[in-house]
Amino acid sequence: MNPIGLAVIGAGYWGPNLVRNAQATPALRLEWLCDLDTARARSVLGPYTTVRTTDSYEQVLADPNVAAVAIATPAATHFDLVRAALEAGKHVLVEKPLTPSSADAAKLVDLAEEAGLTLMCDHTYCYTPAVRKIRELVHAGEIGEVQFVDSVRINLGLVQPDVDVLWDLAPHDLSILDFVLPPGMRPIAVAAQAADPIVAGRACVAYLTVWFGGETMAHVHVNWLSPTKIRTTVIGGSRRTIVWDDLNPQQRVSVHDRGVDLTPASHLAPEERRAALISYRVGDIQVPALSEREALRSVMEEFAAAIDQGRPALTDGRAGLRVVRLLEAASRSIAAGGSKELVEGDD
C-alpha cells in the first residue's frame, strides 16, 4: 500500500517516541510535527528532515496529504483534538486515557464509527511481546479458566500536575486486563482506596479491586512513592498460572503448572463428602521464548494496518472507553470511601 500521511501532535514527553517510530514504519509517512512550541518541535526532528513543523493544528488538518494524526498531548485536550480530527476525516491514534470522561469517550467512538474512521488508543503495553504472549496463552485456554489477577506497578515516579496516580498508572494495567482476558470476560464492579501521604493535592498511592462476576477478581496496586520499582502481574488459572515480571529480561513470562486442585464432592464416597479434598499440584515451569521488539513500533504498524484494512485496531476506541469507565468507577469509589461501584455501560 502507499504510505499513509501522518502528523504527530505534541512534541513533549511522548511525542518524540511517536516521531521516531513513525519514521521507522514503512506504511507511514510523517508529514508534520505540531506543537505550540515550534522550536521544541524542530529540536525533536533535527536539522536534516523533510518533516514540517507548525503550531497550527488547523493547518495540519487542512493538509490533504495528512490521512491520520497521532495525538500525544495532555488528557484534558484529547476530546477537542480527536473530535476535530475525526470531523476533518482523519484517522486518529491517541495516548491513554482516551478522554477523562466516559461520556466524551463514547461520543468519539460513535463519531469515528459513523465516519468509518479508525480510532485507536495507544495502550502501548498491549503491544509488548510479553503481553502478546500472555494474551495468546489465555485466549487459547492454556491456563484454564481465569481465577484471579494480581498486578503491582510501583516506583519512585513523577507526581503529575494534572492527574492522580490512578489516572496516570492504572490505565496501563486496566488496558492489559482488557486485552488479555478471554472474550466476554468484562468487569462488573470496582472498589478502590487511595492516599496522599505527601500532601501533594492528589492521590499518590491507590489500590483497586475489580470483580468480573462469579468469584473471579483482580487486584491492582499503583504507587508513585516506592523507592523500589516493581512491575509484576500474576494471572491464575484453573490449570496453570502466568507470572509476568517486566523487569526481568531473562524471564519476563513464566507459566507455572502449580496450584490447588479441589476434588468435587460428587466424586467422593459418601463417607468422604463432609470435606472436599484439596490437593496441591507442583509441576514444571515453562519460560516461553519472546522476541525483543519495541512495542511502539508494533503500535504504529497496527495503526497503519487497521486503516488499510478498514478494521478495528486491537486497542480501538471501544477498548479505550472500557478503560475510562473503569477509572471513573474507581474514582467514584475513592470519593465514597472505598465503596463497591458498578462499572457503567456495556459496549
Side-chain angles (χ1 to χ4, degrees), residues 261-285:
D261 292 328
L262 179 67
T263 304
S266 60
H267 294 177
L268 303 177
E271 63 275 10
E272 298 176 312
R273 289 181 182 174
R274 291 185 179 180
L277 295 181
I278 294 177
S279 60
Y280 295 92
R281 183 179 69 260
V282 180
D284 294 332
I285 301 175

Side-chain angles (χ1 to χ4, degrees), residues 1 4 64 89 98 108 119 128 138 150 173 177 233 264 268 317 337-338 341:
M1 65 179 182
I4 297 165
L98 175 54
L108 295 179
L119 174 59
T128 61
V138 172
D150 200 344
D173 302 278
L177 285 176
T233 300
L268 303 177
E341 298 286 330

Side-chain angles (χ1 to χ4, degrees), residues 3-346:
I4 297 165
L6 177 74
V8 171
I9 314 303
Y13 171 71
W14 197 244
N17 295 318
L18 294 176
V19 166
R20 175 170 50 81
N21 282 278
Q23 291 178 314
T25 303
L28 297 172
R29 182 184 65 253
L30 186 61
E31 298 279 357
W32 292 93
L33 176 56
C34 178
D35 193 275
L36 294 176
D37 185 343
T38 53
R40 179 169 63 181
R42 286 193 293 270
S43 70
V44 169
L45 294 170
Y48 307 106
T49 181
T50 60
V51 180
R52 292 163 288 177
T53 61
T54 182
D55 61 0
S56 171
Y57 190 47
E58 293 75 15
Q59 183 179 15
V60 169
L61 297 184
D63 186 348
N65 291 319
V66 173
V69 298
I71 296 173
T73 60
T77 68
H78 286 179
F79 178 73
D80 289 335
L81 292 176
V82 174
R83 181 179 61 181
L86 293 172
E87 289 176 346
K90 313 298 184 183
H91 305 281
V92 179
L93 170 68
V94 61
E95 293 310 307
K96 58 85 180 172
L98 175 54
T99 65
S101 156
S102 64
D104 284 346
K107 291 176 184 176
L108 295 179
V109 169
D110 290 342
L111 182 58
E113 292 180 353
E114 290 167 4
L117 295 167
T118 295
L119 174 59
M120 177 177 171
C121 293
D122 180 12
H123 293 162
T124 310
Y125 275 99
C126 297
Y127 295 88
T128 61
V131 174
R132 296 290 285 267
K133 172 57 71 172
I134 293 170
R135 173 186 166 96
E136 175 188 320
L137 292 169
V138 172
H139 282 224
E142 292 295 322
I143 69 170
E145 294 183 5
V146 176
Q147 296 176 331
F148 70 90
V149 180
D150 200 344
S151 184
V152 179
R153 183 177 301 275
I154 66 175
N155 60 276
L156 197 60
L158 178 65
V159 176
Q160 300 295 330
D162 56 341
V163 294
D164 62 15
V165 71
L166 174 72
W167 284 80
D168 180 39
L169 297 184
H172 294 306
D173 302 278
L174 298 180
S175 64
I176 291 167
L177 285 176
D178 184 79
F179 187 71
V180 305
L181 291 179
M185 189 174 179
R186 295 283 181 242
I188 60 173
V190 61
Q193 294 180 319
D196 177 17
I198 62 172
V199 196
R202 59 194 57 83
C204 297
V205 181
Y207 299 86
L208 292 77
T209 302
V210 184
W211 287 268
F212 294 89
E215 294 296 319
T216 303
M217 64 193 307
H219 188 260
V220 177
H221 173 201
V222 289
N223 187 340
W224 279 332
L225 306 180
S226 170
T228 302
K229 186 175 185 178
I230 302 174
R231 288 182 180 172
T232 60
T233 300
V234 180
I235 304 176
S238 56
R239 294 180 57 208
R240 296 182 180 89
T241 295
I242 296 172
V243 177
W244 172 34
D245 183 352
D246 196 44
L247 302 183
N248 183 355
Q250 285 76 41
Q251 189 173 309
R252 291 195 195 280
V253 176
S254 54
V255 184
H256 299 247
D257 186 15
R258 299 182 177 188
V260 178
D261 292 328
L262 179 67
T263 304
S266 60
H267 294 177
L268 303 177
E271 63 275 10
E272 298 176 312
R273 289 181 182 174
R274 291 185 179 180
L277 295 181
I278 294 177
S279 60
Y280 295 92
R281 183 179 69 260
V282 180
D284 294 332
I285 301 175
Q286 298 177 342
V287 180
L290 301 174
S291 62
E292 288 296 330
R293 194 170 196 272
E294 186 173 2
L296 198 50
R297 184 75 53 82
S298 297
V299 170
M300 287 297 184
E301 291 175 353
E302 172 65 10
F303 185 42
I307 294 170
D308 181 58
Q309 299 166 20
R311 61 166 175 82
L314 285 172
T315 53
D316 62 1
R318 291 197 173 274
L321 173 58
R322 290 191 292 269
V323 170
V324 173
R325 283 172 172 165
L326 256 175
L327 291 168
E328 280 188 334
S331 293
R332 291 196 305 270
S333 176
I334 290 171
S339 64
K340 190 173 183 178
E341 298 286 330
L342 295 179
V343 178
E344 296 178 358
D346 181 75

